[in-house]
């Protein structure tokens, strides 16, 4: 099934089904995002940013939220 076919099918959904799909997709997308972040962390791709943030915190360069 192509994206165009999926888009066409979505446009035909009644409002309640569209809302259900939107909730499902949000959960799906969030899960995929979480998995990508976890993979990046495990691969060390965020180490530089984490070290920079810790150094700034240790240097007192952070403001309370």
């Amino acid at each position: 099934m192509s994206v165009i076919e999926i888009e066409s099918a979505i446009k035909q959904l009644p409002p309640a089904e569209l809302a259900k799909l939107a909730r499902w997709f949000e959960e799906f997308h969030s899960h995929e995002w979480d998995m990508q972040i976890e993979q990046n962390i495990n691969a060390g791709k965020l180490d530089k940013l984490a070290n920079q943030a810790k150094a700034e915190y240790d240097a007192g360069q952070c403001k309370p939220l």
Side-chain angles (χ1 to χ4, degrees):
M1 182 175 268
S2 71
V3 171
I4 292 174
E5 291 170 320
I6 294 169
E7 289 174 351
S8 178
I10 289 171
K11 290 176 183 177
Q12 296 176 38
L13 289 174
E17 290 294 307
L18 182 58
K20 185 177 177 181
L21 174 64
R23 284 189 301 274
W24 173 85
F25 189 78
E26 178 61 32
E27 289 175 16
F28 173 79
H29 191 256
S30 293
H31 175 74
E32 292 296 309
W33 174 260
D34 290 345
M35 296 301 293
Q36 184 64 54
I37 291 293
E38 187 174 331
Q39 289 173 0
N40 289 342
I41 289 169
N42 291 336
K45 292 181 178 180
L46 301 177
D47 290 353
K48 183 178 177 182
L49 291 173
N51 291 336
Q52 180 183 354
K54 185 174 180 336
E56 289 174 5
Y57 178 80
D58 291 344
Q61 297 174 341
C62 297
K63 299 178 189 174
L65 296 176

